Amino acid sequence: MKSLKLIGLALGASFAFSASAFAQDITIAVAGPMTGSESAFGRQMKNGAEQAIADINAAGGVLGKKLALEADDDACDPKQARSIAEKIGSSKIPFVAGHFCSSSSIPASEAYADANVLQITPASTNPLFTERKLWNVARVCGRDDQQGLVAADYIMKNFKGKNVAILNDKTTYGKGLADETKKALNKAGFQEKMFESYNKGDKDFNSIVSRLKRDNIDLVYVGGYHQEAGLILRQMRDQGLQTILMAGDAMNDKEFASITGPAAEGTLFTFGPDPRNKPTAKAIVEKFKAKNIDPEGYTLYTYAAMQVWTQAVAKAGTTDAKKVMATIKAGDWDTVLGKISFDAKGDIKAIDYVVYKWDAKGNYTEINPKGS
């Protein structure tokens, strides 16, 4: 009986020690569309966050502690995003890498600010995210008013005198990007032939395609996500329309090509210079490849968000969100994207969008946005 008591005491001590050790972990979060039509991007974000935490922990963690990851699904739904933000805040989690959709990041950021949570989005490009003077927000990607300029510049140089249509899906991201592209085109003296909206989640675009056909549209610019853009492209080709489709950074996932098949050939989109090709990302890209993961799209952007926060925490000597954000805005940070720094709003100081083109085999390559 005595030996059983000793064993029980030993086991109890072991469990207590394990619980204590686990309690010492610093839990941080990644939030995005883990389900739903944009889940391909949620997967990118989760892959980036998991690899970053594995590498940070292997290097000794931060402030002498290991990091643990909580992954939350907002399905790109604003109400769900706000609910997740409130949950993360009540859990005293100091940092979240997220969200993906601007329509999620913007409402979530207000709940994070109230709960003293620092938020770095790897993907939300709507200018409003950083224009509200919230203390707790930053992004490692660019803005729609930057990529809209690049898209407009490309259209002006390559489709001058042609018929251009602009579509948007009425979302914060999609309409915002379409509006910025339209604004840049109109400012340069270029007037689109058609400006039309559709609903995110629509499947049948034949009436829009018929209008594109009627107006002899040479290029259609889509402010929206890859699912609907892929269907618009397929239905254009089904009606014999060879109009070029151009869109923004939400086209950066191979799932687009799985929707369109060979019809993807010639489709254009804007995105930053491919981070997979940066020397600063080479070793990390190899780790992903060893796991049969292609770190496309926003995978490395999420990894970079984790790097920025971790380095700033180490420098500040605390996880207190306000102190860490002050440190982030005052410094330069080495990431897989290269060295980055932030302005007072939380936007990165140097950003460069380029134009990419899909081929019939489901791959995309960077092209010269000033070329012919």
Side-chain angles (χ1 to χ4, degrees):
M1 180 68 70
K2 187 176 180 180
S3 61
L4 285 173
K5 286 182 179 179
L6 287 172
I7 291 170
L9 287 170
L11 283 170
S14 173
F15 288 140
F17 176 78
S18 296
S20 174
F22 181 77
Q24 293 302 307
D25 286 347
I26 300 171
T27 300
I28 59 178
V30 60
M34 306 302 166
T35 62
S37 60
E38 312 313 324
S39 61
F41 295 101
R43 184 169 59 251
Q44 290 178 5
M45 293 170 66
K46 190 167 183 283
N47 286 339
E50 287 176 344
Q51 186 62 55
I53 283 185
D55 291 343
I56 291 162
N57 285 342
V62 61
L63 301 182
K65 299 178 181 180
K66 299 291 187 182
L67 295 177
L69 182 67
E70 174 179 308
D72 290 293
D73 176 25
D74 67 13
C76 270
D77 177 77
K79 290 182 180 178
Q80 196 164 320
R82 174 85 191 200
S83 176
I84 284 169
E86 291 171 352
K87 177 177 75 74
I88 288 172
S90 65
S91 300
K92 305 300 181 185
I93 290 172
F95 167 65
V96 58
H99 297 222
F100 174 72
C101 291
S102 293
S103 57
S104 290
S105 281
I106 291 171
S109 64
E110 296 162 1
Y112 291 135
D114 291 341
N116 205 39
V117 179
L118 193 155
Q119 176 188 9
I120 302 178
T121 177
S124 294
T125 53
N126 189 281
L128 189 60
F129 178 71
T130 50
E131 290 291 339
R132 294 161 302 147
K133 299 181 180 179
L134 291 181
W135 65 268
N136 65 318
V137 298
R139 55 177 145 215
V140 292
C141 58
R143 296 165 45 128
D144 291 335
D145 48 359
Q146 294 164 333
Q147 68 172 323
L149 282 172
V150 172
D153 181 67
Y154 183 90
I155 293 168
M156 285 290 296
K157 286 180 168 62
N158 296 276
F159 290 86
K160 188 175 182 180
K162 303 287 187 179
N163 294 326
V164 172
I166 301 175
L167 307 179
N168 76 84
D169 65 359
K170 303 180 186 177
T171 66
T172 304
Y173 163 73
K175 188 172 189 309
L177 181 55
D179 285 347
E180 291 294 345
T181 303
K182 172 182 166 60
K183 187 192 304 180
L185 282 171
N186 294 167
K187 187 176 181 180
F190 190 105
Q191 185 63 48
E192 73 280 358
K193 181 113 177 183
M194 170 182 164
F195 190 89
E196 187 64 71
S197 298
Y198 58 89
N199 295 308
K200 189 175 185 299
D202 282 353
K203 306 291 185 186
D204 184 354
F205 297 97
N206 281 302
S207 62
I208 287 179
V209 171
S210 294
R211 288 189 60 192
L212 296 174
K213 194 171 184 179
R214 182 197 69 194
D215 290 344
N216 297 313
I217 299 299
D218 299 291
L219 178 138
V220 56
Y221 184 87
V222 178
Y225 294 91
H226 70 298
Q227 293 275 359
E228 290 79 18
L231 292 175
I232 289 169
L233 182 64
R234 280 177 52 183
Q235 289 169 37
M236 284 199 305
R237 299 298 181 259
D238 288 346
Q239 288 198 32
L241 199 60
Q242 295 307 308
T243 300
I244 299 294
L245 187 144
M246 186 177 193
D249 54 305
M251 297 277 280
N252 197 336
D253 190 275
K254 293 288 180 66
E255 192 171 88
F256 173 72
S258 72
I259 295 168
T260 62
E265 184 174 16
T267 297
L268 307 167
F269 69 95
T270 46
F271 194 69
D274 196 335
R276 294 173 297 183
N277 297 333
K278 292 180 179 285
T280 48
K282 185 176 180 182
I284 307 306
V285 169
E286 290 302 319
K287 288 184 180 181
F288 278 111
K289 287 183 177 178
K291 297 179 179 179
N292 292 317
I293 294 173
D294 179 3
E296 65 177 331
Y298 285 104
T299 307
L300 294 173
Y301 283 80
T302 309
Y303 191 106
M306 295 282 182
Q307 287 180 302
V308 169
W309 180 82
T310 303
Q311 291 173 37
V313 166
K315 188 170 184 178
T318 178
T319 59
D320 178 78
K322 289 184 178 177
K323 292 178 180 178
V324 174
M325 182 57 88
T327 302
I328 286 174
K329 290 179 179 178
D332 297 315
W333 310 103
D334 293 315
T335 76
V336 288
L337 304 177
K339 189 177 289 291
I340 59 178
S341 57
F342 299 82
D343 64 19
K345 295 177 183 177
D347 289 315
I348 52 176
K349 292 181 179 178
I351 181 67
D352 182 23
Y353 279 99
V354 294
V355 177
Y356 292 83
K357 180 183 286 188
W358 285 94
D359 64 26
K361 295 181 180 179
N363 301 306
Y364 54 81
T365 54
E366 180 183 327
I367 62 174
N368 181 2
K370 297 181 176 63
S372 58

